[in-house]
Amino acid sequence: MTVNTYPGKLIVLEGLDGSGQTTQAQLLVKWFQDKRGQLAYYTKEPSDGPVGAILKLVLSHRLTSPTDKREHRPLDPATMALAFAADRADHLHHEIVPKLRDGVHVISDRYYLSSLAYQSIDLEYKWIREINQHALGPDLTFFFDVPPPICVKRMQSQRWHVELYEDLHMLEKVRRNYQECIRQLQLAGEKIEAVDGSQPVAEVHSIVVNRTKQLLRAFAAANDGTRSRVSEEQLALIMGTEPLTESEIASHQEG
Ligand code: TYD
């Protein structure tokens, strides 16, 4: 994984389906934008690019045979892993890196930790790392840990369809994979924070904001003359700003 030397920071939010990482990613972007007047950009994987579009069809069981439209055409696990890695390369090239270069903080809803946790259901961890080795390393990753029965309950109340990896047994496995992959990546020096995602949304948001502030403070303190430095002016704005209030969160969720 390569180190981010662009002025924008790459922050990744991860978790099981139903763990709330999408809500938290959107709230973090809103916090940056509303409160800081800072530039932040929400994005997600699978991306909106061409490979991401195919992945979304596969995940929602809508990829069918050209001759028999009723026949579902799943992809085998290795092809899925390669497609997620290819989508990531495209996502980085067309969306993430141009934003980071412009000094925009990118908040990604899923990234390569998802590949390591989900694709290692069927495949070797080492190979999945290899096919993702050229991906830019995130500056910080949050993992929202939520017990799988709670995830399933949340999904049932929010969705009309069930995607590929969303049954309870599968989620139990993916959670164990996440825990093991996080341990390995932390040993390799990656900054990954596990957060209890079963707490109320506002509490989780406040943990995310406080940890993000620490990250930016560390970059400002680095003072190493590289482009990764956060300016004093930016830092003062960030440090003085509280997380979104419960009513701001509620109005975001209604809108
Ligand atoms: P989606 O419904 O788009 O996201 P979410 O459930 O987070 O709202 O589904 C994405 C699914 O794809 C999710 O089950 C995780 C899975 N996935 C992988 O298996 N590998 C990956 O590399 C990524 C990015 C996602």
Side-chain angles (χ1 to χ4, degrees), residues 14-18 21-22 44-47 55-56 59 80-81 84-85 87-88 109-119 132 155 159 161 163-166 171 178:
E14 288 276 357
L16 297 178
D17 308 77
Q21 93 279 356
T22 300
K44 75 173 290 180
E45 291 191 356
S47 79
L55 280 165
K56 284 178 209 174
L59 288 165
M80 285 293 275
F84 278 117
D87 179 44
R88 190 156 298 125
D109 178 351
R110 300 193 178 283
Y111 195 54
Y112 58 62
L113 184 53
S114 280
S115 283
L116 293 170
Y118 283 81
Q119 277 57 68
N132 283 283
M155 281 187 285
R159 291 230 191 109
H161 69 288
E163 293 203 336
L164 203 59
Y165 302 112
E166 294 182 356
L171 292 179
Y178 260 120

Side-chain angles (χ1 to χ4, degrees), residues 45-226:
E45 291 191 356
S47 79
D48 290 332
V51 187
I54 294 172
L55 280 165
K56 284 178 209 174
L57 292 176
V58 178
L59 288 165
S60 55
H61 309 278
R62 281 178 290 160
L63 193 70
T64 51
S65 149
T67 49
D68 180 356
K69 298 277 178 227
R70 288 159 309 174
E71 190 201 338
H72 173 55
R73 300 280 291 259
L75 297 183
D76 74 286
T79 309
M80 285 293 275
L82 290 164
F84 278 117
D87 179 44
R88 190 156 298 125
D90 181 55
H91 190 203
L92 276 160
H93 184 80
H94 287 286
E95 244 181 299
I96 299 179
V97 169
K99 295 279 175 203
L100 296 174
R101 197 178 279 137
D102 284 350
V104 178
H105 302 306
V106 175
I107 314 301
S108 186
D109 178 351
R110 300 193 178 283
Y111 195 54
Y112 58 62
L113 184 53
S114 280
S115 283
L116 293 170
Y118 283 81
Q119 277 57 68
S120 62
I121 294 173
D122 303 290
L123 303 164
E124 223 183 282
Y125 174 84
K126 198 167 149 261
W127 182 69
I128 305 163
R129 264 192 95 162
E130 261 166 40
I131 60 174
N132 283 283
Q133 68 177 324
H134 295 301
L136 187 68
D139 294 290
L140 179 61
T141 299
F142 290 100
F143 169 62
F144 301 106
D145 196 18
V146 175
I150 298 182
C151 294
V152 169
K153 222 174 177 174
R154 286 182 182 174
M155 281 187 285
Q156 281 165 349
S157 66
Q158 287 162 8
R159 291 230 191 109
W160 57 272
H161 69 288
V162 173
E163 293 203 336
L164 203 59
Y165 302 112
E166 294 182 356
D167 74 78
L168 187 57
H169 177 66
M170 194 72 92
L171 292 179
E172 300 276 5
K173 266 197 194 165
V174 178
R175 187 192 197 191
R176 284 196 295 275
N177 289 349
Y178 260 120
Q179 287 162 346
E180 179 55 24
C181 297
I182 289 171
R183 208 180 56 80
Q184 302 257 1
L185 292 178
Q186 283 173 331
L187 282 176
E190 280 202 27
K191 288 197 193 82
I192 307 177
E193 293 282 320
V195 177
D196 173 2
S198 57
Q199 303 175 83
V201 173
E203 278 173 43
V204 177
H205 168 67
S206 153
I207 294 170
V208 170
V209 164
N210 289 328
R211 186 64 190 82
T212 300
K213 283 184 183 180
Q214 277 175 22
L215 174 82
L216 298 177
R217 186 166 39 204
F219 273 110
N223 196 12
D224 56 5
T226 68

